[in-house]
Amino acid sequence: MVRNIVIGLLAVAVVATGIWGFQEREDKQILKVTAENNYQRAFHELAFHIDQIEDQLGATLAMNSRRQLTPALADVWRVVSLAQENIGQLPLSSVDLGKTEEFLFKLGRFSYRTSIRDLEKEPLTDKEYETLQKLYEYSKEIREEVRKSQAMMLDSGDQWIDIEEEMRATQEPLSNMVVNNLEVMNKSIQSYSETEWGAGLASIDDLNGELKEALDGEPVTKEEAEEIARDYLQVDENTPVHVADTGDGLEYPAYTIVADDPDHETNYYMDMSINGGEPIWFLQDRQIEEQNISLNEAVNIAEEYLEKHGKDSMQLVDSRQYDSIAMLEFVHLENNTRVYTDLIRLEVALDDGDVLGYEAKSYLIHHKDRDIPDPELTNEEARERLNPRLDVMEDHLAVIENDLGQEVLCYEYFGVIEDQTYRLFINAEDGEEEKVDRLNQSEPVYDFS
C-alpha cells in the first residue's frame, strides 16, 4: 500500500518536473525571440535612418533657400538622434564604433546649429557647402557598409542573439562577417576629424569625455533607471519600459531605454547615465497632428517640466516653431546672470503639449557652483562699444563660452536696426565684441511671475 503511494507520488513529481521544465524552455524561448526581434528592429531601423541621412544631406546640396534648407537640416538632426539610438540598442559592446558614434553626434550638432540660423541673411558659406559635401560622402560610406551588413545577415540567416552569445563566450576578437563589416565602417570614416566643422562646434570635440568626468553621482540600478525614465517620459506603471546597457562606444556608462507610448502607437528612446541616473537625451518620433496650443503655451509647459525635474532657475533664451513642434532653449540663471553653457533643449508637440525631445549634455557637463565676478565695465561703458545705430531694447549679464572654450562674463544686448533684431555680447572685462546674432521673429513670450 505504502509502496504504491510512494510510486504514485514519484510519478506525479516526474510529470510536474517535466511540465515545469517544458514551461521553463518555453519562457526562455519567448525571451530569446523577443530579444532577437528587438535587435532586428533596431538594425533595420538603423539602415533606414542612415538612408534618410544620406538622402537629406544629398538634397541640401541642391538647396539654397531658408524655406527648404532649414527644415531639411532640422530633419537631419532628428534622424541622426534616432540612428544613434539604434546603434545603442544593438549587442555590440565588444565592437569599436566610437568614431561612427562621434561622427553622428557632430553631424547632428552641425545640422542643428545651421538649421536655427537665419539662412536668408547668413547663407551657407563656401566652406560650409564643402563641409556638407564631405558629410554626404561619409554618410554614403556608412550607408554602404550598413546595407552590406544587412544583406549578409539576410543571406546567412545569422541572428543577433547568437552574435551576442559569441561575444560573451570568447575573449578573442569575434570572427563574424557582420561585425567585421561594421568595424570596417568605423575605420573608414576616421578621416572625418579633418572636416571643417566651424567655430560654432569648437567646444564639442570631447563632449563624451567631459560628460564622463561630469557624471560622478552614485550608480543607479536598472530598476531605478526605469522609475526615473517613467517620471521624465510621463508614462504610467502599466507602460512597458525596457532598460539595457549601452555598448562601449560611449566613454561614460549609460543605459539605453525604450518606452512604449500606447496613446500615439510609437516609442520613446532615451539615454541615461548610470552614474547619477541623469537623462542625457530622449526623443519620441511620431506624426504631429494639427496645432492646438500656441508657442507661448508650449513654453509654459516646458518651464513647469524643467522645474518638476529639479532643473531650477532656468530661463528661456530661444523659441522657434517648425510645423507643429516648438523647439525651445533654456539656460541657467545665476544671480541674475544667464549662464549660456548650462543649456537644455526641449521639443514640445503643439497638438497635445507632450514633451517630445530633451537634450541636456551641455547642462550636465558645465552646471556647477560658480563665483561669477563683478563686471569691470559698467553697463553704460559697455554700451558705448555698440553700433550707434542699434536701438537697445533690453540687456542682461551673461556668461558665454568664447572660441577658446573659456567662460567669459559679458553684457548681452537685444536691439533693433531697421526692423531687424540682434543679440550682441560685449565682454564685461575688456569691452571686446564677443558675438553677434541676428534673431528670427517669433511669438512673444510673456512672464507674469
Side-chain angles (χ1 to χ4, degrees), residues 228-281:
I228 295 170
R230 288 185 188 279
D231 184 39
Y232 268 81
L233 302 178
Q234 305 175 87
V235 297
D236 60 35
E237 292 296 322
N238 298 319
T239 303
V241 175
H242 178 71
V243 182
D245 295 306
T246 60
D248 290 342
L250 297 178
E251 293 190 34
Y252 53 89
Y255 293 125
T256 288
I257 298 171
V258 182
D260 285 358
D261 180 5
D263 292 339
H264 301 103
E265 298 182 351
T266 184
N267 296 304
Y268 285 99
Y269 302 96
M270 172 186 282
D271 268 8
M272 180 186 297
S273 69
I274 292 178
N275 296 333
E278 287 283 355
I280 297 162
W281 66 269

Side-chain angles (χ1 to χ4, degrees), residues 165-396:
E165 289 176 357
E166 287 183 61
M167 286 182 176
R168 290 175 178 172
T170 180
Q171 301 297 320
E172 301 296 326
L174 184 63
S175 179
N176 178 281
M177 292 180 66
V178 174
V179 171
N180 293 344
N181 221 57
L182 293 175
E183 289 180 335
V184 167
M185 172 190 71
N186 191 64
K187 291 179 180 178
S188 70
I189 63 166
Q190 284 185 353
S191 59
Y192 85 94
S193 57
E194 300 171 5
T195 301
E196 176 57 56
W197 296 94
L201 292 184
S203 63
I204 70 168
D205 285 341
D206 191 31
L207 273 186
N208 281 354
E210 291 181 74
L211 200 52
K212 181 181 179 181
E213 293 183 11
L215 296 169
D216 56 0
E218 290 296 317
V220 298
T221 65
K222 288 184 178 180
E223 291 73 20
E224 292 169 330
E226 179 182 329
E227 289 305 309
I228 295 170
R230 288 185 188 279
D231 184 39
Y232 268 81
L233 302 178
Q234 305 175 87
V235 297
D236 60 35
E237 292 296 322
N238 298 319
T239 303
V241 175
H242 178 71
V243 182
D245 295 306
T246 60
D248 290 342
L250 297 178
E251 293 190 34
Y252 53 89
Y255 293 125
T256 288
I257 298 171
V258 182
D260 285 358
D261 180 5
D263 292 339
H264 301 103
E265 298 182 351
T266 184
N267 296 304
Y268 285 99
Y269 302 96
M270 172 186 282
D271 268 8
M272 180 186 297
S273 69
I274 292 178
N275 296 333
E278 287 283 355
I280 297 162
W281 66 269
F282 71 75
L283 184 70
Q284 182 198 62
D285 183 28
R286 70 170 172 89
Q287 184 66 40
I288 311 300
E289 304 299 331
E290 184 178 348
Q291 180 174 346
N292 292 313
I293 66 174
S294 69
L295 185 61
N296 190 61
E297 290 173 309
V299 170
N300 293 333
I301 290 171
E303 288 174 338
E304 292 175 4
Y305 181 87
L306 290 172
E307 187 174 347
K308 175 187 173 184
H309 294 98
K311 305 300 185 285
D312 300 321
S313 302
M314 301 297 290
Q315 188 173 77
L316 179 74
V317 294
D318 193 19
S319 61
R320 301 172 189 271
Q321 180 176 340
Y322 292 108
D323 295 327
S324 295
I325 298 177
M327 302 178 72
L328 312 172
E329 293 190 354
F330 291 84
V331 299
H332 181 62
L333 190 67
E334 186 169 330
N335 296 330
N336 261 346
T337 301
R338 293 176 167 184
V339 184
Y340 273 84
T341 52
D342 296 13
L343 172 71
I344 295 178
R345 294 186 178 89
L346 291 173
E347 291 186 26
V348 178
L350 297 180
D351 55 359
D352 60 6
D354 275 355
V355 177
L356 301 175
Y358 173 92
E359 196 262 299
K361 274 192 174 183
S362 185
Y363 179 92
L364 294 174
I365 289 171
H366 296 105
H367 186 60
K368 60 187 177 183
D369 292 329
R370 289 179 174 83
D371 183 14
I372 299 177
D374 293 329
E376 294 289 331
L377 301 179
T378 65
N379 195 334
E380 290 71 21
E381 289 171 331
R383 280 178 182 247
E384 293 176 0
R385 308 300 179 99
L386 296 172
N387 187 321
R389 296 191 300 130
L390 183 74
D391 183 13
V392 177
M393 309 301 293
E394 63 177 281
D395 59 74
H396 309 270

Side-chain angles (χ1 to χ4, degrees), residues 2-222:
V2 174
R3 181 171 177 271
N4 290 338
I5 292 173
V6 172
I7 292 174
L9 290 174
L10 288 173
V12 171
V14 169
V15 172
T17 301
I19 294 173
W20 175 81
F22 177 77
Q23 187 63 47
E24 284 289 299
R25 287 196 299 274
E26 285 288 298
D27 291 345
K28 186 176 180 181
Q29 185 61 29
I30 290 172
L31 289 174
K32 288 184 69 173
V33 170
T34 301
E36 180 62 28
N37 287 342
N38 286 332
Y39 290 149
Q40 291 290 346
R41 174 193 54 76
F43 186 52
H44 292 302
E45 284 185 357
L46 173 63
F48 174 69
H49 290 138
I50 293 297
D51 279 353
Q52 284 186 301
I53 291 170
E54 185 200 1
D55 290 342
Q56 286 286 45
L57 286 174
T60 60
L61 294 174
M63 297 177 182
N64 195 34
S65 69
R66 177 187 178 277
R67 185 178 64 82
Q68 289 183 302
L69 193 53
T70 292
L73 288 170
D75 202 47
V76 170
W77 170 68
R78 180 184 65 83
V79 178
V80 164
S81 297
L82 294 173
Q84 289 175 298
E85 178 59 33
N86 296 143
I87 290 177
Q89 292 174 24
L90 293 174
L92 297 171
S93 59
S94 300
V95 182
D96 181 11
L97 294 179
K99 288 297 182 183
T100 302
E101 291 189 321
E102 188 177 352
F103 169 74
L104 288 173
F105 174 72
K106 289 189 175 183
L107 169 59
R109 291 297 296 274
F110 174 84
S111 56
Y112 175 82
R113 292 195 177 190
T114 307
S115 72
I116 65 175
R117 197 171 84 203
D118 189 339
L119 296 174
E120 289 180 351
K121 294 294 183 181
E122 296 179 75
L124 293 181
T125 65
D126 291 341
K127 276 191 174 181
E128 286 172 325
Y129 268 112
E130 185 179 333
T131 296
L132 276 176
Q133 181 65 50
K134 288 181 179 179
L135 296 178
Y136 176 60
E137 295 300 325
Y138 292 136
S139 69
K140 285 174 62 177
E141 293 184 32
I142 295 175
R143 181 191 63 80
E144 289 171 3
E145 298 302 332
V146 170
R147 282 300 185 187
K148 190 184 298 182
S149 298
Q150 188 181 37
M152 287 176 179
M153 289 200 77
L154 292 173
D155 182 61
S156 64
D158 283 350
Q159 292 193 329
W160 284 107
I161 200 80
D162 296 330
I163 294 175
E164 183 180 31
E165 289 176 357
E166 287 183 61
M167 286 182 176
R168 290 175 178 172
T170 180
Q171 301 297 320
E172 301 296 326
L174 184 63
S175 179
N176 178 281
M177 292 180 66
V178 174
V179 171
N180 293 344
N181 221 57
L182 293 175
E183 289 180 335
V184 167
M185 172 190 71
N186 191 64
K187 291 179 180 178
S188 70
I189 63 166
Q190 284 185 353
S191 59
Y192 85 94
S193 57
E194 300 171 5
T195 301
E196 176 57 56
W197 296 94
L201 292 184
S203 63
I204 70 168
D205 285 341
D206 191 31
L207 273 186
N208 281 354
E210 291 181 74
L211 200 52
K212 181 181 179 181
E213 293 183 11
L215 296 169
D216 56 0
E218 290 296 317
V220 298
T221 65
K222 288 184 178 180

